[in-house]
Amino acid sequence: MHFLDQAKIFVRSGAGGPGAVSFRREKYVQYGGPDGGNGGKGGDVIFEAVAGLNTLIDFRYAQHFKAMRGIQGMGRDRHGAYGDDLVIQVPVGTQVLADDEERTLLLDLTEVGQSVVFLRGGDGGRGNASYKSSTNRAPRQHGPGWPGEEMYVWLRLKLLADAGLVGMPNAGKSTFINQVSNTKAKVGDYPFTTTRPQLGVVDHKSREFVLADIPGLIAGAAEGVGIGDRFLGHIERCRILIHLIDATQDDPIAAWHIVCDELSEYGAALDEKPQIVALNKGDLLDPELMADIAEQLHAAGAQDVIAISGATGQGVDLVLDRILEALPAKSGIEGAKADGITEDGTWSPI
């Protein structure tokens, strides 16, 4: 399934049904009077965040969404039926943006099951029976029904992940996420092997969290160089970033500065998020050389530098420990005890 994180669609709520103009016609009833019913209300357009979706690919093939209009009123005081609401299901983390230059945020769906009425259907028109009065015994006016609302909007998906992987191309991000999760990310010895974000669920010390891998950043990504920075939006919601650096490249410190500058240039406070610097590919260099590069990164301003090897798993557990420390304790030992699991991992009914 292809990954698509933005799409432009047209949405329209249903118009209200018109009211009816009718008079009672019945044998032996000389003055039956008006009996035209009201029209039904048009259907609403509703956005709903559902689990199990992580792409907007469905909106590539269907861009127009129109709710059902209300049914017209009829004689014998029969009111028209309401139009069915149109529920548009989107992945959790989807934002609905206005089609203007500023891309104004209209909706932000961040929870499973969150449902919001986006466009309200038009009210139905009044039938002539509702216009009857002591001075207007045979009204012939009726309401045509209120029109629905319509607009073009942009859907933008920002994946919900607890931690995000950043780094330059060939830093080993795909190898790392494959090492710690069941993700089958493509691995190659050429730049930009990853062309779309990847999500992986990591199970570490009886806790689970979601890890996001995005395509590599290079100098000038904020201006569109390489794949650009369009995928950085997927790590805006992350609590912590893992910055992978290829220790075998010519200047690891310059690589660290380049990625940090791109995060700062992008905005959204990405450069202020807690960051773990993982000095990768330690299996290819001597420990002394890895320690020397780590000291240079410390001197350059990196706070937490850990030497790892994504291929062999060396130092990966320490990185995962740091991630757990930055996440809320919602599924650790406290949660395990609540489920009847003791600290040594055995189950107990007490």
Side-chain angles (χ1 to χ4, degrees):
M1 181 171 58
H2 295 287
F3 179 83
L4 187 70
D5 63 347
Q6 59 182 13
K8 184 180 180 179
I9 64 173
F10 173 81
V11 290
R12 175 193 294 168
S13 60
V21 176
S22 174
F23 293 90
R24 183 181 179 188
R25 295 288 185 263
E26 189 174 342
K27 192 176 182 179
Y28 305 123
V29 179
Q30 184 177 5
Y31 301 106
D35 64 353
N38 300 332
K41 174 183 172 297
D44 299 332
V45 174
I46 302 173
F47 282 102
E48 180 182 10
V50 298
L53 295 178
N54 58 4
T55 176
L56 298 175
I57 189 64
D58 293 338
F59 299 99
R60 171 173 289 180
Y61 308 106
Q63 292 94 23
H64 291 77
F65 298 87
K66 302 174 184 178
M68 179 179 175
R69 67 172 298 161
I71 304 301
Q72 67 182 20
M74 291 173 284
R76 301 175 62 183
D77 290 317
R78 290 176 292 176
H79 300 312
Y82 282 19
D84 293 335
D85 294 335
L86 175 63
V87 180
I88 303 176
Q89 295 184 336
V90 296
V92 179
T94 300
Q95 293 181 331
V96 182
L97 310 174
D99 185 27
D100 54 18
E101 295 182 358
E102 293 78 17
R103 293 290 190 269
T104 307
L105 178 63
L106 303 177
L107 286 181
D108 194 1
L109 305 170
T110 59
E111 299 178 359
V112 176
Q114 184 178 356
S115 180
V116 180
V117 176
F118 183 67
L119 296 180
R120 186 180 181 278
D123 292 326
R126 296 169 57 186
N128 69 331
S130 65
Y131 289 97
K132 181 177 64 175
S133 67
S134 60
T135 58
N136 189 9
R137 306 301 296 272
R140 297 185 179 275
Q141 67 264 41
H142 72 287
W146 292 88
E149 301 175 310
E150 62 180 44
M151 65 187 305
Y152 281 94
V153 296
W154 282 89
L155 302 181
R156 183 182 181 187
L157 175 61
K158 292 184 178 180
L159 296 176
L160 296 180
D162 300 302
L165 285 172
V166 296
M168 297 191 69
N170 273 355
K173 300 186 299 300
S174 297
T175 302
F176 182 88
I177 196 171
N178 288 345
Q179 177 71 237
V180 301
S181 69
N182 289 328
T183 306
K184 305 300 181 183
K186 183 179 180 180
V187 177
D189 58 352
Y190 54 89
F192 299 112
T193 307
T194 301
T195 57
R196 62 184 181 88
Q198 300 276 355
L199 282 181
V201 179
V202 182
D203 187 357
H204 183 64
K205 292 186 176 180
S206 300
R207 294 183 60 183
E208 289 185 349
F209 62 89
V210 180
L211 181 65
D213 173 26
I214 65 171
L217 300 172
I218 61 176
E223 285 76 35
V225 179
I227 296 182
D229 62 353
R230 59 166 292 189
F231 293 117
L232 281 177
H234 294 290
I235 61 173
E236 287 185 19
R237 308 180 194 267
C238 294
R239 296 179 181 271
I240 188 169
L241 302 180
I242 300 94
H243 187 166
L244 262 67
I245 299 177
D246 182 2
T248 64
Q249 61 184 317
D250 296 335
D251 195 346
I253 289 79
W256 178 75
H257 280 297
I258 288 174
V259 175
C260 290
D261 291 343
E262 294 303 324
L263 294 178
S264 177
E265 188 72 21
Y266 178 82
L270 288 185
D271 56 332
E272 300 176 5
K273 289 184 179 292
Q275 188 178 119
I276 300 173
V277 179
L279 193 58
N280 197 15
K281 304 184 181 180
D283 56 312
L284 303 179
L285 298 178
D286 295 332
E288 294 80 7
L289 183 55
M290 292 288 291
D292 180 64
I293 298 175
E295 291 180 2
Q296 296 181 42
L297 286 170
H298 275 298
Q303 299 296 323
D304 194 1
V305 182
I306 303 175
I308 70 167
S309 171
T312 64
Q314 172 191 352
V316 170
D317 285 345
L318 183 56
V319 174
L320 299 182
D321 290 341
R322 293 285 197 277
I323 296 175
L324 292 183
E325 293 173 0
L327 301 181
K330 58 183 178 181
S331 60
I333 294 300
E334 296 82 4
K337 289 181 179 179
D339 293 332
I341 302 177
T342 60
E343 294 184 1
D344 58 358
T346 60
W347 181 84
S348 172
I350 303 177

